[in-house]
Amino acid sequence: MPLSTIKDISLAYGLNFYSIDKPLRDVLRFYIGREPDLYSIGAFSGTDIYEAAYRVDQLSKPALITWSIKGDRVDTVWLDSFERIIIEKLILDYGANRFPFNGGSWHEHFASINLIGDPGVGCILTISIQTAYTLYKYGGDPIRGYYRNLSGFSKPLMIGATWFTEIQGGSDLGANTTIADRVNGVWRLNGYKYFASGAGLADIALVTARSPGAPKGAKGISLFAVPRLRSDGKLNFYVRRLKVKSGTVSVPTGEVELIDSDGYIIGEPSKGIYYALESLMVSRLSNSHGAIGISRKAYFEALLYALERKAFGKRLVDHLLVQRDLLEMESLIEAGLILVHKATKEFEESKNDTPPYTSTYHYARLLTHIAKNITAEIASRVTQLAMELFGGVGFLSEYPVERWHREALITPIWEGTSNIQALDMLEVIAKKGAHETLISDMREKAKETIDPEVSRRALKAIEETISSLAFKDPSLIEYEAKDTLDTLGYAISVILLENLASHIGERRYSNIAKVILDRMIDKKPIPRLKQSDIIEIIGIGTITI
Ligand SMILES: Cc1cc2nc3c(=O)[nH]c(=O)nc-3n(C[C@H](O)[C@H](O)[C@H](O)COP(=O)(O)OP(=O)(O)OC[C@H]3O[C@@H](n4cnc5c(N)ncnc54)[C@H](O)[C@@H]3O)c2cc1C
């Protein structure tokens, strides 16, 4: 008998998640003009990554090692060895974190995060590339060079981290109390970071702190790079404990104490909040791509089950309501997919921007806030429906489909909650005028369409939503912020799907645009497409139904 895998408990195990995901490949071609070769990551993702992340969740949590055998305080985390090998392979062999630095694009990096799907493993890559990006762009000597190890150009592989949240508040970074003092030309940090992903793994972390005399609130925040070890080889920060979490088990999240920790200032001290927010763009985009990856895995588990399981004498997939559920799931996934690649495209175009930034960066920020919320909602909904399609089996924690729903539930929380994204979206509209770029871009995109009426209605929804902000009471605008974000997000997706349909000559994307328009914007029932169109969409054009 071959050595065992999880193929007996997972239907999606063994799929190549890239070759089977035609929409992902179409969207990548649309945005970068070619189809990147992610087939080997796709195969890895459907086999070893899939199995390792499930194994860690069920059997093999990370463990904190506080003291070495020699009696030294070490504060490292022991990862499951299968997971450790996977992370090394992803960064060093597959180069998943190298794309943005070697002439590739952020689309390829984030498509890899989508394929990995797992938010724990994905988080370890994300905190590393986020740190690499910030050091590469704003870091000085001696810390800039770390970006090479963090993104897999040089060995040894290093892991990064971004520690901003403190016990009194994660949303309100202006409430940070960690102090950075400059003593004899060296910055020393003292404080306590309450949610610190990568604790015990990180070789270097980005840390927010304020220096004495800095203004109150977010404007007084500076950003520092804090290596794990001081120049004398002693620990530079301490891991107090690891959190016990309901998902994302494959990334350790801990509490970190900074006690006279050596820090290296990033850029200008007064611009720390801008650098922190810019690094959050990377993780928010990553979260969005990862959310679509989670949804995709849950979708395949459910679709394959629906193709086999029979009820009332026929396969689940032959029941109309099951087709409707799968159509809703697939349409949401593709709406989120195209939206977050659009946000990525604008981020890519603004990657050389620095504070105070251009309108392209503000537009990228607007789209990122929107994509973060929409994709998180999608992941929660799609994984919930996937569990439901499995019936009672879906609720059992012994099979992978249940895990996808637990994993999905982190996506609206970390990297800034949904409420915070909605408020930040309002801020970038009101203070930076990002809606002007949005409207002119969408007007342009709506011209290239298969079904002009669908694009026209979506554009109208965007224009009316934005213009209503001008005369509403501010408290009502705040109260409705998440609804505003939803309308804008889904309407943008509709226009982009129509645009894609017309660009590559495939009506299926126009059909999906219609589903999203009716269901998510006009709040009507899901439209009854032609049976052959439904079959094509739910089989995503690759699986025979
Ligand atoms: C698994 C995990 C890993 C994490 N890893 C990291 C990490 O590596 N680095 C890091 O810095 N942080 C990390 N975090 C922290 C995370 O980013 C925060 O938990 C999150 O940003 C919310 O902050 P909070 O928990 O302090 O909630 P709070 O800020 O207290 O918010 C509580 C609730 O109030 C709402 N709320 C707050 N302010 C407003 C407002 N003005 N209007 C409307 N609603 C509001 C929020 O939306 C939320 O629903 C992690 C969290 C988790 C769960």
Side-chain angles (χ1 to χ4, degrees), residues 262-319:
D262 290 354
Y264 297 87
I265 188 90
I266 304 281
E268 296 174 43
S270 62
K271 294 190 175 150
I273 191 66
Y274 296 105
Y275 308 135
L277 291 175
E278 197 178 325
S279 85
L280 280 172
M281 288 262 279
V282 174
S283 51
R284 286 169 176 169
L285 287 169
S286 187
N287 189 70
S288 312
H289 287 276
I292 296 302
I294 292 170
S295 312
R296 177 52 87 209
K297 295 211 164 61
Y299 182 82
F300 277 128
E301 291 283 359
L303 173 64
L304 294 170
Y305 190 72
L307 283 165
E308 277 190 18
R309 171 84 173 171
K310 289 203 171 114
F312 299 94
K314 54 184 182 185
R315 299 178 310 171
L316 296 184
V317 78
D318 296 321
H319 289 276

Side-chain angles (χ1 to χ4, degrees), residues 16-33:
N16 181 321
F17 281 107
Y18 190 55
S19 53
I20 204 141
D21 197 338
K22 177 174 154 36
L24 173 61
R25 287 182 283 110
D26 283 345
V27 165
L28 284 167
R29 231 190 350 262
F30 182 57
Y31 280 113
I32 58 180

Side-chain angles (χ1 to χ4, degrees), residues 127 162-172 195-198 245 248 253 410 413-420 423 478:
I127 51 185
T162 50
W163 298 336
F164 304 159
T165 303
E166 297 181 3
I167 192 161
Q168 68 281 2
S171 308
D172 183 6
F195 277 99
S197 291
K245 303 179 288 179
T248 69
T253 302
I410 187 61
I413 296 178
W414 64 6
E415 312 307 338
T417 62
S418 293
N419 284 358
I420 296 306
L423 293 175
E478 183 175 332

Side-chain angles (χ1 to χ4, degrees), residues 39 78 123 132 139 164 179 184 205 212 217 241 291 311 326 343 356 372-373 391 430 456 477-479 483 501 535 540:
Y39 289 91
W78 189 14
C123 175
F164 304 159
I179 289 290
N184 299 329
R241 71 174 189 111
L326 289 168
K372 161 91 174 35
N373 274 19
R456 191 196 62 73
I477 293 178
E478 183 175 332
Y479 186 72
D483 302 298
I535 296 298
I540 70 161

Side-chain angles (χ1 to χ4, degrees), residues 6 13-15 17 38-57 80 82-91 94 96 111-122 125 250 297 400 403-404 407:
I6 56 164
Y13 175 84
L15 293 178
F17 281 107
L38 299 174
Y39 289 91
S40 46
I41 274 202
F44 192 37
S45 142
T47 49
D48 287 353
I49 300 176
Y50 208 74
E51 182 176 354
Y54 181 61
R55 175 188 155 72
V56 169
D57 180 76
D80 177 272
F82 192 7
E83 182 189 353
R84 176 171 51 78
I85 291 166
I86 272 162
I87 286 163
E88 285 168 354
K89 278 194 169 188
L90 278 168
I91 301 181
Y94 291 90
S112 310
I113 295 290
N114 170 325
L115 291 171
I116 292 165
D118 180 75
V121 173
L125 268 75
S250 46
K297 295 211 164 61
R403 180 170 81 88
W404 290 125
E407 300 291 15

Side-chain angles (χ1 to χ4, degrees), residues 288-394:
S288 312
H289 287 276
I292 296 302
I294 292 170
S295 312
R296 177 52 87 209
K297 295 211 164 61
Y299 182 82
F300 277 128
E301 291 283 359
L303 173 64
L304 294 170
Y305 190 72
L307 283 165
E308 277 190 18
R309 171 84 173 171
K310 289 203 171 114
F312 299 94
K314 54 184 182 185
R315 299 178 310 171
L316 296 184
V317 78
D318 296 321
H319 289 276
L320 281 178
L321 275 173
V322 171
Q323 290 182 3
R324 181 220 169 273
D325 286 344
L326 289 168
L327 179 61
E328 178 182 343
M329 291 158 82
E330 183 58 32
S331 303
L332 287 172
I333 291 173
E334 294 186 28
L337 176 73
I338 200 160
L339 177 65
V340 68
H341 273 283
K342 169 68 178 164
T344 301
K345 178 171 187 298
E346 299 306 323
F347 177 66
E348 178 87 49
E349 289 190 1
S350 63
K351 66 184 177 198
N352 296 324
D353 263 27
T354 52
Y357 301 113
T358 67
S359 58
T360 314
Y361 176 85
H362 297 313
Y363 185 35
R365 228 187 91 198
L366 172 69
L367 291 170
T368 302
H369 294 311
I370 293 175
K372 161 91 174 35
N373 274 19
I374 296 269
T375 54
E377 251 173 38
I378 289 171
S380 305
R381 175 71 179 150
V382 168
T383 53
Q384 177 208 340
L385 278 172
M387 276 176 88
E388 202 179 310
L389 282 175
F390 270 83
V393 169

